[in-house]
Amino acid sequence: MVKIPSLLNRKSSDCILFIVPGCTKCEKAKSKLDEMGISFQIYNIFEHHRLIQNVPIEKKRQGFPLLKIRDAYYTYNEIMDTEK
């Protein structure tokens, strides 16, 4: 179980979900966050490639989607293992 600190108290401007268009995992992650009542902004990695330049390489290697909360990044598996 992943504990994402104070996730429910975040504003949508604090949470960014980086996605790849047409990605099944990305859709599942969006649904999971919606189910949990978490506000987030969606960024297509191809349109906003500059924003992912600062993502740690070990997180990029795990693929997308990636959830960014302030300076922390969470992978698909971490998102899906999160509970309220």
Side-chain angles (χ1 to χ4, degrees):
M1 194 69 48
V2 175
K3 300 284 186 188
I4 298 178
S6 305
L7 192 56
L8 296 174
N9 298 328
R10 301 287 181 197
K11 296 178 278 184
S12 64
S13 60
D14 290 340
C15 299
I16 297 172
L17 184 65
F18 294 105
I19 65 159
V20 175
C23 168
T24 304
K25 285 182 174 181
C26 296
E27 292 301 318
K28 288 179 183 178
K30 287 193 299 190
S31 294
K32 174 73 173 190
L33 295 171
D34 284 337
E35 285 174 20
M36 293 175 59
I38 297 165
S39 298
F40 58 94
Q41 295 179 10
I42 297 172
Y43 286 90
N44 174 332
I45 65 165
F46 299 117
E47 294 174 5
H48 301 282
H49 54 86
R50 289 185 185 163
L51 293 177
I52 63 167
Q53 289 178 344
N54 295 326
V55 175
I57 192 72
E58 61 274 3
K59 293 291 185 175
K60 285 184 194 176
R61 285 184 180 148
Q62 294 182 50
F64 291 91
L66 282 176
L67 178 65
K68 179 183 181 204
I69 302 174
R70 297 208 172 143
D71 293 327
Y73 293 89
Y74 301 91
T75 64
Y76 171 76
N77 290 332
E78 292 168 328
I79 294 167
M80 299 309 287
D81 287 343
T82 301
E83 282 192 11
K84 283 186 177 181

